[in-house]
């Protein structure tokens, strides 16, 4: 599998409190570096002519230094470890003559930075915030989205004058590579009209005979309302309605069985939304009463049919903004309920349901790979 490693630079807008902690971290990292460098230089002066002694010397490490300066425990410990590793690297570059001798860091330099590495997903983007160790959520200006499925491996926090930046080192797999592990994968977006739109642009709509039955139901209901309650004609009409209800229910079930059967037979990986009708009503104008039986039943049918056939059904995390996200560039932006077309500032324009279905399909692939190979799978 091919992997891509890239750096993405963004502006940060830290709070005053976060600025203080960032500057404190710069200070600690600088101190760590300078102490270790002083030791290296002194030892080099002493034993420079005796490489064996130089190598066997018991050098200081971040732990021993932190014990001397307990305030260093207040800052991100990864940043201090990284400073130590960077210095070791700088020295080996110096010894193999690819670089000059490392220099002391000055607090007067307008550019200050520290680097921290991800452990247990502690560096991640949440909406318009970047979660960073010790700092918590820092406001980030995401002028361009990270690629789908990317994993943040490290973050360098930088101050240049009064501006703060972060450079994210990101690893990701090309999704086209992942898609090849399936014969066929599809994403579904449940729709107000009909049942769903799939990520290939196909709409699944209820058959005409079913729609006709619904119209008939409405008609018969009106007739009932005109009958005298309790009369023989009223009771007769009521019976007629009950059997019509049953008939419609069976027609609907039949259609949902066929639709789910088709999907499970055709695709190996099917990604759908997590059914939350209250939430869906907000983003899609669903009338809850009509939709809940159909979508609930359809989801159940897909679930057990996929299981029977050894196919995979993935339910996308409830809060994933499939409607708001641009399927082209990954930006998020609001879209009105009345808008049928999704417009993005990147220039992408697409039917709103198709855009959502593509997002759901891609998220499903990402989730599948994570489930199958672990969270780090996308960072090989
Ligand atoms: Zn876009």
């Amino acid at each position: 599998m091919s992997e891509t490693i890239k750096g993405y630079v963004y502006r940060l807008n830290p709070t005053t409190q976060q600025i203080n902690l960032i500057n404190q971290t710069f200070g600690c990292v600088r101190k760590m570096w300078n102490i270790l460098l002083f030791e290296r230089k002194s030892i080099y002066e002493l034993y420079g002519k005796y490489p064996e002694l130089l190598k066997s010397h018991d050098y200081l490490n971040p732990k021993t230094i932190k014990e001397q300066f307990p305030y260093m425990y207040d800052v991100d410990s990864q940043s201090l470890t990284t400073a130590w590793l960077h210095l070791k690297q700088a020295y080996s570059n110096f010894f193999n003559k690819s670089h000059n001798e490392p220099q002391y860091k000055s607090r007067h330099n307008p550019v200050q930075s520290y680097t921290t590495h991800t452990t247990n997903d502690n560096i991640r983007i949440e909406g318009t915030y970047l979660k960073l160790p010790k700092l918590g959520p820092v406001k980030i200006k995401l002028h361009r989205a990270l690629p789908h499925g990317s994993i943040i491996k490290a973050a360098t926090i930088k101050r240049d004058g009064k501006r703060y930046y972060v450079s994210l080192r990101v690893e990701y797999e090309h999704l086209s590579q992942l898609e090849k592990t399936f014969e066929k994968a599809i994403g579904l977006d449940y729709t107000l009209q009909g049942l769903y739109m799939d990520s290939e642009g196909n709409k699944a709509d209820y058959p005409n005979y079913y729609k006709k039955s619904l119209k008939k139901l409405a008609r018969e209901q009106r007739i009932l309302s005109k009958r005298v309650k309790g009369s023989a004609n009223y009771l007769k009409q009521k019976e007629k309605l009950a059997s019509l209800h049953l008939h419609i229910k069976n027609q609907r079930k039949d259609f949902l069985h066929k639709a789910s059967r088709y999907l499970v037979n055709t695709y190996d990986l099917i990604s759908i939304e997590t059914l939350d009708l209250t939430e869906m009503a907000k983003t899609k104008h669903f009338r809850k009463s009509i939709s809940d039986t159909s979508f609930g039943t359809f989801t159940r049918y897909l679930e057990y049919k996929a299981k029977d056939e050894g196919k995979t059904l993935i339910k996308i995390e409830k809060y994933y903004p499939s409607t708001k996200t641009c399927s082209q560039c990954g930006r998020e932006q609001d879209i009105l309920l009345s808008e049928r077309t999704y417009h993005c500032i990147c220039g992408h324009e697409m039917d709103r349901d198709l855009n959502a279905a593509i997002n759901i399909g891609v998220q499903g692939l990402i989730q599948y790979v994570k489930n199958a190979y672990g969270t780090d799978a996308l960072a090989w």
Side-chain angles (χ1 to χ4, degrees), residues 326 328-331 333 342 344-348:
C326 173
Q328 194 80 29
C329 73
R331 280 187 188 89
Q333 50 219 335
Y342 183 91
C344 179
I345 50 168
C346 76
H348 183 58

Side-chain angles (χ1 to χ4, degrees), residues 218-237:
R219 216 160 45 229
E220 299 297 338
Q221 206 115 41
R222 274 197 305 275
I223 294 171
L224 181 73
S225 68
K226 285 173 194 156
R227 300 266 192 267
V228 181
K229 237 183 188 174
S231 70
N233 276 340
Y234 176 85
L235 293 174
K236 213 176 135 192
Q237 184 64 15

Side-chain angles (χ1 to χ4, degrees), residues 319-331:
Y319 296 107
Y320 173 69
S322 59
T323 308
K324 284 184 178 181
T325 305
C326 173
S327 59
Q328 194 80 29
C329 73
R331 280 187 188 89

